[in-house]
Amino acid sequence: MSKKKKKLAEEAKNKKRKALLKPIPEPAFKEEKFNPKNLMISIGALLIIGLSAYFLYADTADYDMVFCDDNIFVIDKAAEHKALDDWTNPEHIKHYFSGTIGVSYYRPILSMSFMMDANRGINEGCKPNEIDESVFHETNIFFHILASCLVFIFLRKIGYSHAVAGIFGLLLAVHPVLTPAAAWISGRNDSMITVFILLTFISLVYFYRLKSPWSWVVLPFHLIFFAASLFTKEIAAFFPFVGFAFIFLFMKSKKLFDPKHIIVTSGWLITGLIWFSYRLEAISKITSNPDTMGWDAIVENWPTVFTLFGKLFVPYKMIALSTFEMSSIIIGIVFFIAFIVAMIKVPKIDKYRAWFGMSWFLLFMLPTLLVRIDKVSDFFDYAEHRAYLMMVGIFIVLIEILRALKVDFKKPLTLIISALLIVSLAYQSYGYKAHFQGRQKFWQRMVDMYPYKSRGYLDLGKAYFMINNTEKAKELYKLGIERNPNNKNLYLDLAAVFMKEKKVDSVYFYAKHAVSLAPQDQSSNYYLAKSLFIMGKYKEAKPYYDVVANRNRKWPYQFIDIGLNYFRLGEYDTAIKMYQRALAKLPKNALAHSNMGAAYAYKARQQAQDGDLASAKTNFNNATICWQNAIVYNPKTYDSYVNLIRFSLYQKQNEEGIKWAKKLKAAGGKCPKDARALLAKVGYIY
């Protein structure tokens, strides 16, 4: 080969090499000039994304509660939300900003979203059968639609094409890993935080893109969205780090001390300090936090990174509250390594932007790893829908890899493949959402997925117990005990089932097991005490009732049972105190008033026998007042009429006794033999 030909060949080779190394045009970060055509395309894309999410999940508005935290937000907190519905009252707002959810989760805006739903969907009285659960589900659907549309807007604002933004907006809208956030009331926090973080980023883009004075107009909105993110979920505390990654990696800013950097950083710092002070005050009220925090939690939670990463690409064995499985971890590790290798090795990839996307994923994942909820080893290891916000970061990495591989999202083949993928994921989500239709289906899924864990059997048993299928409930509870003999809740629920069936010996057997596992547990002690009470073993029941009395803050009806046990033991003063504690929560409870009247009467009789006639008279009057109150609050409290008849006739108040006898008859009650005999002596035949 001649020198000339060699030179030409070498030049051609160099030219080819330079072409390969030539960078792909970056997405335009600058604001596009207004174009009506682009606006119409964007509106059309948003409609497609929004309607896709809506039609996929619209029917979930008719779903029942699954009784996995959602019952707390909808039922247990209903009266509280109803009482704190005045947005103009500073004390009402302060209530939400001064408390936590669960043990240590500080999420006042999430709590307030439930308050708004409660006041739309709960009628006066806040009874479970009056709750319109659909409003809670509708809010979940709304946030999922909004988040899906904001993904499109965010990707467009950072320079990606309509096709890219539309495809990935649809992927988020239909991906099954996010189904719990759309179909399960308790999953709302992840769609909400995604909405506020995306709004925070979009406003940040405008802050840097617009010139003064408009950039300063945008800044307050940016900080408001950041504050809303912080007060919705704690992972927003890592936003500034992701924000710096955006500025220096995605935007590729080379000015470390740019005035805009300093101003926005100062805003983040001030907003963060305000949030931190509110949160610190709220968590200072927590007397003990059983959750594992920090490094110890990371040691247990680290597989979450890979399981969630893998399920984004291979969504299989879907369940809202998942357990670490080796297959999921391996799949996740494989995809994670593939992404890292692609980010390093794929020619012409924009490494800065790709690493920004990976930073988004890892930084927003980190707070999830820092907390391990107490006593969940027999339940779940991670929640699938935690991937909601992290998914956006993975989208950015994937987009940059595909761009580097010269995938043209405008070509028909690419669009067809994308459409098939979206339809496939939507089909999977459509089937998966059915497991959130109600309590039974939700927990049956848990049993089917993890038959070796006891928690599913416990809550599925509860589902059958609530529909009075006690045989199926007992079968499930016993299967749960086989898998975990140390789960006291299984024994406790069996005690409750047998109490319903009035099989006192079995109640005693299972309640005693529960108490042996948790000696200070209120409910376990209550069932054991009540079984002993029914057996007539009042002294044996007393120490267990004492545990209940010392720990009871929630169930006033239990004080009535405790009072009756003390009454049977002749400890009338303590019985009266228990009834008073019940009435503090249930001031119109006729049974408590009636029983307290009996305790006062027996105490008065004892005082009369001891010669303390003045005290006896006072307590007889107290008894009369209690019985009369009982009749006012429930005219069918027949024992109170009878006691008033006896008391009046013993006091020689014959007309008064006859009056109460007539009222008893008018109320439809029966008069016992001894009271009829007393009435006959004064000339009244009942």
Side-chain angles (χ1 to χ4, degrees):
M1 184 182 290
S2 66
K3 288 184 178 180
K4 189 175 182 180
K5 287 183 177 179
K6 283 184 178 180
K7 188 177 180 181
L8 289 170
E10 188 65 29
E11 286 177 356
K13 191 175 180 180
N14 288 336
K15 190 175 181 181
K16 188 176 181 181
R17 186 184 296 114
K18 286 180 181 179
L20 286 170
L21 294 174
K22 186 179 180 181
I24 297 171
E26 293 182 359
F29 185 68
K30 292 182 180 180
E31 180 66 58
E32 298 176 353
K33 290 183 179 180
F34 176 75
N35 185 327
K37 182 180 177 182
N38 284 340
L39 178 61
M40 295 307 296
I41 292 171
S42 294
I43 292 173
L46 288 170
L47 283 173
I48 291 170
I49 293 168
L51 289 173
S52 297
Y54 174 77
F55 285 117
L56 179 58
Y57 291 111
D59 61 336
T60 63
D62 296 324
Y63 284 6
D64 294 328
M65 286 182 292
V66 301
F67 282 78
C68 185
D69 290 346
D70 52 355
N71 54 302
I72 297 173
F73 301 127
V74 178
I75 297 177
D76 296 354
K77 295 279 187 180
E80 174 187 328
H81 290 321
K82 193 71 178 177
L84 298 166
D85 64 341
D86 185 359
W87 286 79
T88 63
N89 188 331
E91 291 301 316
H92 289 195
I93 303 303
K94 183 181 177 182
H95 171 84
Y96 288 102
F97 280 83
S98 61
T100 57
I101 293 177
V103 179
S104 59
Y105 296 120
Y106 182 62
R107 299 170 184 178
I109 289 182
L110 174 66
S111 296
M112 290 173 72
S113 77
F114 290 119
M115 179 269 284
M116 288 186 284
D117 286 346
N119 285 282
R120 286 194 302 132
I122 302 178
N123 298 320
E124 288 296 330
C126 299
K127 295 178 181 178
N129 61 357
E130 295 177 341
I131 296 172
D132 182 2
E133 298 158 22
S134 66
V135 297
F136 292 86
H137 285 293
E138 287 166 2
T139 302
N140 276 47
I141 297 167
F142 167 76
F143 277 111
H144 184 62
I145 292 171
L146 185 56
S148 303
C149 291
L150 285 172
V151 167
F152 171 85
I153 296 171
F154 171 64
L155 293 176
R156 284 291 296 132
K157 291 304 171 186
I158 61 176
Y160 294 114
S161 68
H162 285 104
V164 170
I167 289 169
F168 283 90
L170 277 169
L171 283 173
L172 185 131
V174 304
H175 202 294
V177 81
L178 305 184
T179 295
W184 176 31
I185 292 170
S186 302
R188 175 186 304 181
N189 54 349
D190 289 287
S191 55
M192 285 184 68
I193 186 62
T194 301
V195 165
F196 289 124
I197 288 292
L198 287 173
L199 287 170
T200 306
F201 262 107
I202 291 167
S203 56
L204 181 66
V205 170
Y206 274 111
F207 174 70
Y208 277 99
R209 177 180 288 163
L210 297 174
K211 294 180 180 180
S212 180
W214 295 111
S215 60
W216 308 114
V217 174
V218 170
L219 182 61
F221 291 97
H222 169 70
L223 296 177
I224 288 169
F225 291 138
F226 176 44
S229 303
L230 286 169
F231 286 104
T232 296
K233 194 174 181 181
E234 297 85 343
I235 63 173
F238 281 71
F239 165 79
F241 301 105
V242 185
F244 288 133
F246 178 75
I247 293 167
F248 294 107
L249 293 178
F250 199 94
M251 288 174 49
K252 299 178 183 174
S253 174
K254 295 179 181 179
K255 294 181 180 179
L256 184 61
F257 296 105
D258 184 286
K260 281 195 172 183
H261 298 348
I262 295 171
I263 290 167
V264 79
T265 302
S266 301
W268 293 342
L269 180 62
I270 294 168
T271 306
L273 287 173
I274 293 170
W275 165 79
F276 183 77
S277 65
Y278 272 91
R279 181 179 181 274
L280 191 64
E281 183 181 354
I283 64 175
S284 66
K285 300 172 185 177
I286 302 170
T287 54
S288 64
N289 184 1
D291 297 340
T292 304
M293 310 286 285
W295 178 251
D296 291 337
I298 292 176
V299 170
E300 292 189 67
N301 288 336
W302 68 265
T304 305
V305 176
F306 302 111
T307 51
L308 285 179
F309 201 98
K311 282 195 174 183
L312 295 179
F313 298 95
V314 185
Y316 86 115
K317 297 190 74 172
M318 306 302 294
I319 184 168
L321 302 171
S322 302
T323 295
F324 295 139
E325 292 182 291
M326 189 54 64
S327 58
S328 298
I329 296 171
I330 291 172
I331 290 170
I333 290 173
V334 169
F335 274 95
F336 189 82
I337 291 172
F339 263 57
I340 298 296
V341 170
M343 291 164 62
I344 296 171
K345 295 292 185 180
V346 171
K348 298 189 290 186
I349 188 171
D350 189 324
K351 291 182 172 60
Y352 291 101
R353 293 178 180 234
W355 278 109
F356 162 66
M358 186 58 72
S359 300
W360 178 304
F361 173 77
L362 293 174
L363 286 169
F364 282 132
M365 174 69 74
L366 182 57
T368 300
L369 306 180
L370 290 171
V371 180
R372 179 77 176 180
I373 301 174
D374 184 44
K375 297 177 182 177
V376 296
S377 58
D378 197 34
F379 187 11
F380 75 101
D381 291 309
Y382 66 99
E384 284 179 351
H385 52 288
R386 296 289 181 266
Y388 211 122
L389 179 59
M390 294 75 161
M391 185 183 287
V392 179
I394 298 305
F395 282 173
I396 293 171
V397 181
L398 184 57
I399 290 168
E400 290 301 326
I401 292 172
L402 294 174
R403 286 181 65 248
L405 294 173
K406 297 185 177 180
V407 174
D408 188 346
F409 288 93
K410 294 180 181 179
K411 285 188 175 180
L413 180 61
T414 306
L415 293 174
I416 290 170
I417 293 172
S418 300
L420 290 173
L421 177 61
I422 290 166
V423 170
S424 174
L425 291 172
Y427 178 78
Q428 189 174 353
S429 296
Y430 185 82
Y432 179 32
K433 71 178 181 180
H435 297 290
F436 296 89
Q437 282 184 346
R439 192 174 194 172
Q440 191 172 325
K441 288 192 176 183
F442 183 88
W443 292 107
Q444 184 65 58
R445 177 75 167 177
M446 180 69 71
V447 168
D448 293 340
M449 291 286 285
Y450 305 121
Y452 53 89
K453 289 200 167 190
S454 68
R455 177 58 187 266
Y457 296 94
L458 172 67
D459 281 277
L460 185 57
K462 289 178 185 290
Y464 279 102
F465 184 27
M466 290 303 294
I467 60 173
N468 294 318
N469 190 340
T470 55
E471 291 304 316
K472 183 65 176 178
K474 286 188 287 188
E475 176 190 338
L476 289 162
Y477 291 142
K478 289 175 182 178
L479 287 170
I481 289 172
E482 290 176 12
R483 285 148 180 80
N484 183 5
N486 296 318
N487 188 331
K488 60 96 179 171
N489 290 314
L490 291 160
Y491 298 99
L492 177 59
D493 278 22
L494 274 167
V497 171
F498 284 114
M499 182 66 77
K500 186 180 182 70
E501 295 180 343
K502 299 181 180 179
K503 296 178 180 178
V504 182
D505 290 340
S506 295
V507 176
Y508 174 80
F509 176 81
Y510 286 106
K512 194 168 181 63
H513 267 288
V515 170
S516 70
L517 292 169
Q520 294 301 307
D521 180 69
Q522 177 183 328
S523 297
S524 302
N525 279 275
Y526 174 74
Y527 277 104
L528 181 55
K530 188 152 188 172
S531 65
L532 289 166
F533 175 85
I534 294 170
M535 294 176 187
K537 299 178 180 180
Y538 310 125
K539 286 185 179 179
E540 290 90 334
K542 181 180 175 181
Y544 302 110
Y545 270 138
D546 285 344
V547 172
V548 178
N550 291 332
R551 301 183 69 83
N552 189 7
R553 299 291 182 273
K554 189 176 180 181
W555 308 109
Y557 289 101
Q558 292 182 354
F559 288 120
I560 299 175
D561 288 343
I562 299 169
L564 187 56
N565 193 71
Y566 277 109
F567 177 81
R568 295 288 171 83
L569 289 170
E571 299 182 29
Y572 304 121
D573 284 330
T574 309
I576 290 166
K577 288 179 182 177
M578 292 299 111
Y579 294 132
Q580 288 171 340
R581 290 180 71 178
L583 289 168
K585 294 278 187 179
L586 300 167
K588 296 183 179 182
N589 185 274
L591 181 60
H593 282 288
S594 181
N595 286 1
M596 187 162 68
Y600 273 122
Y602 273 80
K603 180 182 178 181
R605 180 185 294 178
Q606 197 174 67
Q607 289 169 332
Q609 290 172 351
D610 294 339
D612 188 356
L613 299 180
S615 296
K617 183 178 180 181
T618 299
N619 284 313
F620 273 129
N621 288 335
N622 289 337
T624 301
I625 293 168
C626 289
W627 291 326
Q628 290 175 350
N629 285 337
I631 292 169
V632 169
Y633 296 130
N634 183 3
K636 300 293 184 182
T637 312
Y638 300 130
D639 285 347
S640 294
Y641 292 97
V642 174
N643 286 329
L644 285 166
I645 293 168
R646 290 171 179 148
F647 176 74
S648 299
L649 296 178
Y650 285 142
Q651 297 294 314
K652 307 299 183 181
Q653 298 173 3
N654 298 341
E655 292 299 321
E656 187 73 10
I658 292 170
K659 180 187 79 173
W660 287 112
K662 289 178 179 178
K663 287 187 176 183
L664 173 63
K665 195 169 189 178
K670 293 183 179 180
C671 191
K673 187 176 181 180
D674 67 302
R676 291 201 308 271
L678 290 172
L679 288 166
K681 288 180 180 180
V682 296
Y684 182 81
I685 306 301
Y686 190 87

